């Protein structure tokens, strides 16, 4: 049999089973929402915040597999782990509702952007982060991936508008 950390979908779900087992057997405890704050701090680059807390995937490895963590190894961090580690089963429900609402907001924004080409381009850019890698990176990691993927495109679009107008009358407009 293969170990739990082999395969794109096996590793994250195996990590989830480990965290459930460790909480049930009092090896670790719920974060009671503190982990949501530490995940938000991951947006701040380490050079600007040297004492920044570890992301949840890093914390999982450093807590439960310190020898592997020290070599840079990871098992994958299942999306449901964030919510479970924070509040148990109600946390999983809360995370999935929040993630569903976020995806609906993104979908409506792109649908109403006025530009089918732009909407398609942004969908192509964020689809891997919000859908495919979310099973392996968690909700905050997926959001960060998607935002950072779109920033250069939106920046280039804004720069293009500045150059086309010669720098005059620059006003924010819809992305369409």
């Amino acid at each position: 049999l293969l170990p739990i950390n082999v395969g794109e979908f096996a590793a994250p779900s195996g990590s989830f089973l480990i965290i459930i087992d460790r909480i049930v057997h009092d090896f670790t405890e719920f974060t009671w929402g503190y982990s949501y704050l530490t995940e938000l701090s991951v947006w701040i680059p380490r050079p600007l915040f040297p004492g920044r807390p570890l992301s949840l995937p890093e914390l999982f490895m450093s807590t439960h597999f310190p020898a592997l963590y020290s070599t840079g190894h990871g098992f994958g961090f299942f999306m449901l782990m964030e919510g479970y580690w924070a509040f148990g089963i109600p946390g999983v429900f809360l995370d999935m509702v929040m993630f569903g609402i976020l995806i609906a907001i993104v979908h409506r924004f792109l649908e109403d952007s006025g530009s089918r080409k732009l909407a398609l381009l942004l969908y192509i850019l964020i689809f891997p982060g919000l859908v495919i890698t979310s099973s392996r990176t968690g909700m905050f990691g997926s959001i960060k991936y998607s935002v950072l993927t779109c920033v250069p495109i939106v920046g280039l679009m804004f720069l293009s508008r500045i150059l086309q107008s010669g720098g005059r009358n620059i006003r924010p407009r819809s992305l369409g």
Side-chain angles (χ1 to χ4, degrees):
L1 293 175
L2 294 173
I4 65 160
N5 60 336
V6 173
E8 189 62 31
F9 298 109
S13 58
S15 298
F16 188 32
L17 292 175
I18 290 169
I19 201 68
I20 291 171
D21 181 67
R22 302 286 167 95
I23 289 173
V24 167
H25 292 101
D26 294 326
F27 182 76
T28 194
E29 55 190 35
F30 294 119
T31 66
W32 301 114
Y34 179 72
S35 55
Y36 292 126
L37 296 175
T38 61
E39 283 298 283
L40 289 174
S41 74
V42 173
W43 286 80
I44 303 169
R46 220 174 267 286
L48 298 178
F49 185 10
R52 182 183 82 189
L54 296 174
S55 68
L56 280 177
E58 292 173 310
L59 181 63
F60 173 75
M61 287 303 294
S62 70
T63 302
H64 302 291
F65 302 97
L68 291 172
Y69 174 74
S70 68
T71 64
H73 194 86
F75 285 163
F77 192 80
F78 195 45
M79 184 176 204
L80 303 180
M81 285 175 70
E82 285 171 334
Y84 189 85
W85 206 347
F87 299 111
I89 293 173
V92 172
F93 178 78
L94 176 69
D95 269 16
M96 292 301 95
V97 167
M98 289 187 323
F99 197 65
I101 290 170
L102 172 71
I103 289 177
I105 290 169
V106 168
H107 175 76
R108 284 194 191 109
F109 173 77
L110 292 176
E111 194 173 60
D112 297 340
S113 71
S115 170
R116 289 260 189 241
K117 291 176 187 175
L118 174 64
L120 182 60
L121 174 64
L122 292 177
Y123 265 126
I124 290 168
L125 290 173
I126 65 175
F127 183 80
L130 286 182
V131 179
I132 296 174
T133 63
S134 63
S135 68
R136 188 170 180 82
T137 62
M139 181 172 64
F140 286 96
S142 296
I143 293 167
K144 184 176 180 181
Y145 173 97
S146 299
V147 168
L148 292 177
T149 300
C150 290
V151 165
I153 297 299
V154 173
L156 287 173
M157 290 171 44
F158 187 68
L159 180 62
S160 172
R161 288 195 179 141
I162 290 173
L163 293 175
Q164 286 175 355
S165 70
R168 299 179 306 274
N169 299 325
I170 302 300
R171 288 178 287 143
R173 297 187 310 170
S174 70
L175 294 176

